Amino acid sequence: MHELSICKSIVDIVNRHAGGRDVRTVHVRVGKLRQIVPDTLVYCWSLVNEETPLAGSQLQVESVPAAIRCTDCNHTQTLDDPILMCASCAGTNVEIVAGEEFLITSLELSEA
């Protein structure tokens, strides 16, 4: 379960940027191609922070669908299945344009 180590890394980053203030919510964007299970990530968040200053904080995960752009016909499409083929021209000369993200997008901090 690599989500546990990911949560530990998120905690390190959040602690550096929170400036000692209480954190209510951490917002992250996770691409569908990242092989991270959002529900498992949220569960691990509560485990990692159980007896820390981040206890009670929430991890909000925004899932980003995968998308490709065909370099032959310039068609861009969202992927329902992980098949890297253009729906317009059936070409396989494509580049991934979304779905590999993993970003902490914002922190909601308590008033202090």
Side-chain angles (χ1 to χ4, degrees):
M1 177 176 1
H2 68 283
E3 285 86 351
L4 193 58
S5 63
I6 291 169
C7 280
K8 288 178 182 178
S9 295
I10 294 171
V11 166
D12 291 341
I13 294 167
V14 168
N15 283 331
R16 283 196 311 261
H17 288 85
R21 293 174 287 178
D22 290 335
V23 176
R24 286 191 270 175
T25 309
V26 177
H27 296 270
V28 297
R29 296 182 79 201
V30 179
K32 289 284 192 179
L33 299 175
R34 275 289 166 182
Q35 298 182 358
I36 295 172
V37 179
D39 289 341
T40 304
L41 192 66
V42 170
Y43 175 72
C44 289
W45 180 258
S46 63
L47 290 179
V48 166
N49 294 308
E50 198 168 55
E51 295 181 23
T52 73
L54 291 173
S57 66
Q58 301 294 313
L59 184 69
Q60 293 287 322
V61 180
E62 175 190 352
S63 187
V64 179
I68 59 172
R69 184 183 66 78
C70 179
T71 56
D72 294 332
C73 73
N74 209 33
H75 175 75
T76 301
Q77 68 190 55
T78 300
L79 299 177
D80 294 324
D81 297 312
I83 299 171
L84 302 178
M85 182 168 45
C86 179
S88 181
C89 73
T92 56
N93 192 18
V94 298
E95 64 181 357
I96 297 170
V97 295
E100 294 184 312
E101 296 84 353
F102 187 80
L103 305 164
I104 299 171
T105 57
S106 66
L107 303 176
E108 290 180 26
L109 305 172
S110 297
E111 300 289 326

